[in-house]
Amino acid sequence: MMEQTIWGHLPVLMRANSKESIEYILQALWRTRKSGLGTSDRCIIQDMLQLHNESDLDPLLVCLRMLIRRCVYENTSKEDIPKLFPDEVLPELQKLLTLLLQKFQREWQEDVMKDQNIVPRLKAMTWNMANLEKGSADPAAVIDLKLQNDAPFQSGVQDVKFQLATDSIDMMLKTMHCIRDQFSTMQEDIDDRPSQGNQDSGFSLNWRNHLRSLVFSI
């Protein structure tokens, strides 16, 4: 019942003079998703929608934030965005909001991933030699990485291939050895701490095994 009441405020958007005005409203709501709309943004939006009372603005903003949240955080596909609207919403308004949400969905989801600082992790690595023809002066290795992406909107395994020549491999090995030394220093610090029981011992063992498999697979 509450959602039905909220949807009833969407037609207020029809007061806007242009598609760009509605686009600005959606972008402002996303930009201020953590802090809430400031006074200046509220005044701009109120003028865009030709609202005399500021209190008429809040129910609309609640409805739009709900739409944005479902579109971004619930991993709604572009094709399913129109299904977010009940039949009572005007068709022309559904179409306009659908186009705008589809336009910004990927960008907003990337913002969320940046906020969460999620990066893929190495799942597997294979390699083979390239340029093995007789007389080839530039032998190279082709590295094939499988990266596990645990991000909420792009989960799955990603394949990455790249080629390494001798000088590139030397540089990469030097970097990996520096990483190994840094991990070793961190591990020594952990080992020097007072024991906290079997659970911590198991964690240290798993960490050490993972470190070895990561560094020495190269």
Side-chain angles (χ1 to χ4, degrees):
M1 185 67 181
M2 180 179 178
E3 277 200 12
Q4 292 177 352
T5 304
I6 291 176
W7 290 118
H9 294 278
L10 270 185
V12 175
L13 285 174
M14 303 300 289
R15 293 168 171 257
N17 292 325
S18 65
K19 171 188 172 183
E20 287 71 27
S21 295
I22 299 178
E23 188 171 313
Y24 174 89
I25 294 171
L26 293 176
Q27 285 282 60
L29 287 173
W30 179 253
R31 174 169 43 83
T32 61
R33 62 192 180 278
K34 297 179 181 179
S35 60
L37 278 178
T39 303
S40 59
D41 277 322
R42 291 182 66 89
C43 290
I44 292 173
I45 294 174
Q46 186 177 343
D47 290 341
M48 284 179 172
L49 300 178
Q50 305 171 47
L51 295 174
H52 299 294
N53 298 319
E54 187 180 358
S55 58
D56 295 335
L57 184 60
D58 289 323
L60 171 65
L61 299 181
V62 169
C63 185
L64 291 176
R65 284 196 185 278
M66 180 179 67
L67 269 175
I68 291 173
R69 183 171 62 252
R70 290 181 175 178
C71 175
V72 176
Y73 292 95
E74 296 182 8
N75 202 20
T76 304
S77 67
K78 284 190 174 184
E79 294 74 19
D80 287 339
I81 288 178
K83 298 178 183 178
L84 297 176
F85 301 94
D87 294 337
E88 64 196 75
V89 178
L90 297 172
E92 57 268 32
L93 192 53
Q94 285 190 40
K95 183 177 180 180
L96 175 58
L97 286 173
T98 295
L99 289 174
L100 290 176
L101 290 172
Q102 288 174 336
K103 176 181 178 180
F104 295 119
Q105 184 186 40
R106 181 63 180 270
E107 175 187 335
W108 291 345
Q109 288 179 340
E110 289 176 354
D111 288 342
V112 172
M113 287 191 288
K114 290 176 184 177
D115 291 343
Q116 296 176 344
N117 195 26
I118 297 175
V119 295
R121 54 187 172 85
L122 180 64
K123 184 176 182 180
M125 182 178 73
T126 57
W127 62 275
N128 58 70
M129 297 301 297
N131 299 339
L132 294 179
E133 298 85 355
K134 284 187 176 181
S136 176
D138 299 308
V142 176
I143 311 297
D144 186 359
L145 302 180
K146 292 191 180 300
L147 304 178
Q148 177 65 47
N149 195 334
D150 296 323
F153 318 115
Q154 297 179 347
S155 60
V157 177
Q158 177 185 3
D159 286 323
V160 177
K161 283 188 177 183
F162 58 96
Q163 182 171 294
L164 289 175
T166 303
D167 56 344
S168 301
I169 291 178
D170 290 340
M171 178 179 64
M172 185 175 181
L173 286 174
K174 181 178 179 181
T175 301
M176 295 303 295
H177 279 95
C178 290
I179 294 173
R180 181 188 62 182
D181 292 342
Q182 183 65 43
F183 277 149
S184 297
T185 300
M186 294 169 62
Q187 183 61 50
E188 289 172 2
D189 291 341
I190 293 174
D191 291 340
D192 289 341
R193 294 175 187 172
S195 175
Q196 296 182 8
N198 293 334
Q199 183 176 357
D200 284 353
S201 298
F203 174 80
S204 297
L205 180 60
N206 290 336
W207 172 264
R208 191 179 298 112
N209 290 338
H210 176 70
L211 172 63
R212 288 172 177 165
S213 63
L214 175 64
V215 175
F216 293 107
S217 61
I218 300 220

